[in-house]
Amino acid sequence: MSLAASAHAIWEAALGRLQVQVPRPTYETWLKDTQGESRDDNQLVVRVPSAFVAEWLQTRMFSLITDAVHAVSGQITQVELIVRDGVPAIDPIQNNDLLESAAKYSDISARTQNPSESTFNPRYTFDTFVIGPSNNLAFYSAFAVSDSPGNTYNPLYIHGSVGLGKTHLLHALGAKAKAEGLRVRYVTSEQFTNEFTKAIRDREMDAFHDRYRSVQLLLIDDVQFLAGKDGTQSAFFHTFNELHSKNCQIVVAADRPCANLVPFNDRLKSRLEWGLSVEITEPDYETKVAILEKHALRASTPIPASVLEYIASAGSTGVRQLEGSLNKVMALSQFSGEPVSQAIAARILRTQYEDRARTPEDTISKVANFYGISPRELKGVARNKTVSHARQVAMLLLRQGGMRAEEIGLHFGKRDRTTVSYAIQRVLDKSSQDPSLQKSIESLNNGEN
Ligand code: ADP
Ligand code: MG
């Protein structure tokens, strides 16, 4: 990767990795609204939305974050989290402070459990939601509910598989109702479960009930995760009854239709079926392009329409995947200094959707074969031109497959990561001047050999 890669690009690429490494709710809650702020040779500064988020990331995910940044930058070993420019979010936390900080965390979360305090992702609004045949029913129902909560469809049940915009709609609805003065609470079913469990443990059931029964709009996301949790389901059942009887609005999102929730309390299921159930399905091609266009507006450089169309047609299913592909295409283009092109998109989509099972040894022997040398020579120390070149290509392919530089080094006679990063940069430089090398790399990557 070039030294010039910006903090923004590095962090976007690191987020791309983290997105596939951590559970989705974790990513959504803690990582999504963070930004690469600045960098030097070995440190990346990342801006996070609050000290609370900083603390959470620092205590629970810090090594994962540092690893991801190191893997994509090939160089940076330290990450600092800030809330505002230049202000460290918190003092660096030592491992033996973990317990103390966990206690602090539960304090803070207790404070944010005030019903009026649900905050919404400012990017998830009705305005930024692209409407198409796959989601218009869900969109209009959510909009209608936000206009007249409690009086239209109660509950509103939105279902569809992951990454299709359910959480986006819930946030849009919640934020609009809150802006209009309603007491709104948004929780994932995991949060609901945790709060319920904690209330039992700490004998704070009254506070739990107050918190939930004093709201006018309750949004519960990913309700399928309540499956099998009888006690929590029953708490939700009672909350539901109370809110519903007062004409307070309930909105639920799940990855499947209500009938398919198992094991699930039948009484609760029948309540969830009282109102309106709407499905979001996979967007058609035109909607995908429109979503990508909207996303591309946030990019610093214009993205050719042909690239957006290529990504839209390349077989991703969810909207999240589409956006992830576009982010990665932009990041790779910045790293390599090549303009955003269909070739880059092809490279990214391939590593994303195909050939996940390929082992490093497969890649090594394929490259060796391609250049007419033996895998042993490729992994050895010989420095003649062909062998060195083939080795650089093999390293690049492994890197594009997501392997870290250190790890790649281990496959090539324990070379260190600086050597590996240098080799990869060399071959990227060469390939930017040499279309036939670009083709070879692509065809090796495609599994065409
Ligand atoms: P879900 O909750 O269904 O898994 P999300 O609401 O988290 O999915 O959506 C995943 C990503 O896709 C989010 O960044 C969201 O903004 C985006 N997205 C989904 N559908 C649309 C849409 N119709 N228009 C614009 N962005 C969308
Ligand atoms: Mg969601």
Side-chain angles (χ1 to χ4, degrees):
M1 190 197 55
S2 79
L3 249 177
S6 69
H8 177 80
I10 293 171
W11 184 239
E12 284 292 308
L15 283 178
R17 285 178 75 91
L18 290 164
Q19 196 168 1
V20 296
Q21 289 172 348
V22 305
R24 198 162 52 84
T26 308
Y27 181 84
E28 294 280 300
T29 314
W30 305 106
L31 286 166
K32 195 154 184 182
D33 298 309
T34 54
Q35 280 163 17
E37 189 75 13
S38 62
R39 62 160 296 175
D40 59 24
D41 285 353
N42 58 14
Q43 172 166 287
L44 177 72
V45 177
V46 175
R47 180 208 288 265
V48 301
S50 67
F52 179 48
V53 171
E55 173 154 352
W56 196 96
L57 291 173
Q58 187 111 33
T59 50
R60 285 154 207 248
M61 291 190 54
F62 213 54
S63 64
L64 208 60
I65 289 175
T66 318
D67 283 355
V69 167
H70 184 219
V72 299
S73 65
Q75 182 189 26
I76 292 176
T77 53
Q78 282 171 31
V79 176
E80 186 189 0
L81 303 177
I82 59 159
V83 179
R84 292 191 312 278
D85 288 328
V87 180
I90 36 168
D91 297 335
I93 291 179
Q94 309 297 322
N95 276 342
N96 55 6
D97 288 341
L98 274 182
L99 276 180
E100 194 190 305
S101 124
K104 247 193 276 167
Y105 165 71
S106 54
D107 266 9
I108 298 172
S109 64
R111 256 184 279 138
T112 55
Q113 279 162 15
N114 183 319
S116 57
E117 277 187 31
S118 272
T119 51
F120 297 97
N121 186 329
R123 287 210 341 247
Y124 292 174
T125 64
F126 286 127
D127 282 346
T128 56
F129 195 83
V130 176
I131 309 167
S134 60
N135 59 31
N136 55 3
L137 196 53
F139 176 89
Y140 290 117
S141 324
F143 199 84
V145 162
S146 73
D147 247 1
S148 178
N151 300 318
T152 29
Y153 317 112
N154 200 12
L156 174 63
Y157 185 98
I158 302 175
H159 68 97
S161 50
V162 341
L164 296 182
K166 302 181 297 293
T167 297
H168 187 134
L169 281 180
L170 257 52
H171 277 243
L173 204 175
K176 179 158 172 276
K178 188 179 170 190
E180 286 163 10
L182 248 60
R183 288 192 303 278
V184 183
R185 185 160 178 78
Y186 165 92
V187 280
T188 63
S189 62
E190 284 109 327
Q191 268 168 283
F192 186 83
T193 307
N194 292 342
E195 289 178 22
F196 175 66
T197 319
K198 181 172 180 299
I200 294 185
R201 192 191 61 211
D202 300 346
R203 302 177 196 224
E204 288 173 344
M205 282 311 289
D206 286 348
F208 175 83
H209 287 146
D210 288 349
R211 196 182 305 143
Y212 278 92
R213 295 177 189 176
S214 64
V215 299
Q216 295 161 302
L217 166 60
L218 177 63
L219 306 141
I220 300 215
D221 205 349
D222 286 322
V223 82
Q224 72 274 4
F225 293 127
L226 293 184
K229 295 175 182 145
D230 295 339
T232 313
Q233 282 183 28
S234 149
F236 181 37
F237 176 76
H238 293 297
T239 306
F240 183 104
N241 288 342
E242 172 121 6
L243 291 177
H244 199 274
S245 68
K246 293 191 295 190
N247 276 343
C248 296
Q249 179 71 44
I250 297 144
V251 180
V252 169
D255 70 350
R256 65 200 77 186
C258 193
N260 299 351
L261 292 171
V262 277
F264 225 82
N265 181 323
D266 286 336
R267 293 182 310 169
L268 178 55
K269 261 176 115 149
S270 84
R271 293 296 187 277
L272 295 178
E273 283 165 344
W274 270 355
L276 175 70
S277 169
V278 285
E279 181 175 12
I280 305 186
T281 54
E282 190 191 328
D284 57 16
Y285 171 76
E286 288 76 16
T287 312
K288 284 181 181 173
V289 173
I291 291 171
L292 287 169
E293 277 168 353
K294 201 144 208 170
H295 197 70
L297 289 179
R298 296 206 301 264
S300 47
T301 50
I303 315 274
S306 63
V307 171
L308 300 181
E309 285 157 16
Y310 180 83
I311 296 174
S313 63
S316 71
T317 50
V319 176
R320 190 193 315 283
Q321 268 187 344
L322 281 178
E323 292 184 350
S325 307
L326 181 57
N327 286 343
K328 286 180 194 153
V329 168
M330 295 188 299
L332 181 62
S333 130
Q334 292 201 18
F335 290 163
S336 61
E338 292 172 59
V340 172
S341 66
Q342 218 159 309
I344 291 193
R347 229 182 288 158
I348 293 293
L349 298 180
R350 200 174 38 247
T351 48
Q352 203 164 331
Y353 300 122
E354 292 168 17
D355 227 358
R356 287 175 195 273
R358 192 196 288 166
T359 67
E361 292 305 321
D362 290 345
T363 304
I364 289 169
S365 60
K366 199 158 62 173
V367 174
N369 203 12
F370 185 81
Y371 286 103
I373 54 181
S374 74
R376 260 180 84 124
E377 281 175 274
L378 191 69
K379 293 165 71 170
V381 292
R383 285 176 181 275
N384 78 55
K385 217 168 153 202
T386 310
V387 176
S388 303
H389 175 73
R391 197 176 288 134
Q392 290 168 358
V393 170
M395 288 176 172
L396 174 67
L397 295 184
L398 291 173
R399 185 72 197 82
Q400 289 176 338
M403 190 181 277
R404 296 163 47 175
E406 288 100 312
E407 209 184 322
I408 295 175
L410 297 179
H411 288 278
F412 295 89
K414 304 211 174 116
R415 285 173 162 84
D416 66 22
R417 81 178 146 75
T418 321
T419 314
V420 172
S421 299
Y422 176 78
I424 291 171
Q425 191 53 51
R426 284 271 303 144
V427 71
L428 278 174
D429 290 347
K430 281 193 253 174
S431 80
S432 66
Q433 316 278 323
D434 177 357
S436 82
L437 173 56
Q438 248 172 50
K439 280 219 175 65
S440 308
I441 293 171
E442 265 179 45
S443 73
L444 281 162
N445 237 336
N446 268 327
E448 285 162 8
N449 300 277

